[in-house]
Amino acid sequence: MAMRPETAQTDACAPAGRAPAAQAPMTALPELLTCEQCDAVYQRVRLSSGEQARCHRCGSVIGRGHRIGLQGIAALTVAATVTFVIALSQPVAHLHMGGVANATSLPQALVDTWNAGEPWIALLAAAVTVVFPALLLGLRLYVLLPLLGRDLPPGWRLALRGVQWASRWSMVEVLMLSAMVALVRLAGLANVTPDAGLFAFGALAIFLAALESAGLHRLWILAGDVRPGDPDA
């Protein structure tokens, strides 16, 4: 299934001898959808469960239909947020070597990396494993909680665009892969035991993958049903 393409034409210049017309202010159009791969513009349509919308130009998937409803998306987001808090507050692993035991959480590991003289690595790791996931979940809750009550918060369109942007930089799954590689390599040098923080990050990666699979298309449709044509505050 492919969405209906929309075309727009603009005059590059005014005729000679005539003053150019004043430009109208830009207006947000939540009923339109842009392909992330080729920038083709389409009108949003409702998709049934199991349906996919593909771009006419490049064939990329730009929308999916899911059985999960608004309450399910909100439940996944809340569960991911709680899991994220647990993952940050609990140790990732216990290290036993030479009779000395040490347990480290992700925030403590970032601080240790900074103190070891690697501030840029610490900042980059903090951004993709803490800041952007927190922004992603916070913006989702900002829109979803009022939407459950058939209302929308101020700036909801900007918030949904922020969710799309933050999802590109949230790399919890990369953290999980790196942690597993590190644990395997350390196993030959010391006794390493995975702890609650590592399992929580694994669960968080699954929750975020489920939310990414559901996409934002359904949220845009549901938000448009609440306030069709409502200007963004």
Side-chain angles (χ1 to χ4, degrees), residues 67-227:
R67 291 187 178 90
I68 186 172
L70 178 61
Q71 289 78 9
I73 296 175
L76 276 175
T77 305
V78 172
T81 304
V82 174
T83 305
F84 183 55
V85 174
I86 295 174
L88 292 180
S89 60
Q90 296 298 314
V92 175
H94 273 83
L95 178 65
H96 303 268
M97 184 170 58
V100 179
N102 187 24
T104 303
S105 63
L106 176 61
Q108 184 60 48
L110 294 174
V111 172
D112 292 341
T113 303
W114 179 284
N115 294 333
E118 299 291 346
W120 293 111
I121 295 179
L123 289 175
L124 180 61
V128 298
T129 60
V130 179
V131 177
F132 287 114
L135 182 63
L136 172 65
L137 295 172
L139 290 176
R140 275 187 171 273
L141 290 175
Y142 177 74
V143 176
L144 281 169
L145 295 182
L147 193 57
L148 288 172
R150 302 294 297 173
D151 196 7
L152 287 171
W156 63 272
R157 292 189 182 98
L158 183 60
L160 287 180
R161 295 190 189 101
V163 169
Q164 184 177 10
W165 176 76
S167 64
R168 300 173 181 174
W169 295 98
S170 176
M171 300 184 183
V172 175
E173 66 280 0
V174 177
L175 169 67
M176 278 297 303
L177 180 60
S178 302
M180 291 175 64
V181 171
L183 290 179
V184 171
R185 296 187 65 179
L186 286 173
L189 303 175
N191 184 14
V192 182
T193 305
D195 214 324
L198 185 63
F199 294 110
F201 272 114
L204 177 61
I206 295 174
F207 285 135
L208 292 180
L211 290 172
E212 182 70 19
S213 176
L216 291 176
H217 176 76
R218 184 171 179 81
L219 288 184
W220 281 105
I221 293 293
L222 293 172
D225 290 343
V226 173
R227 293 184 187 175

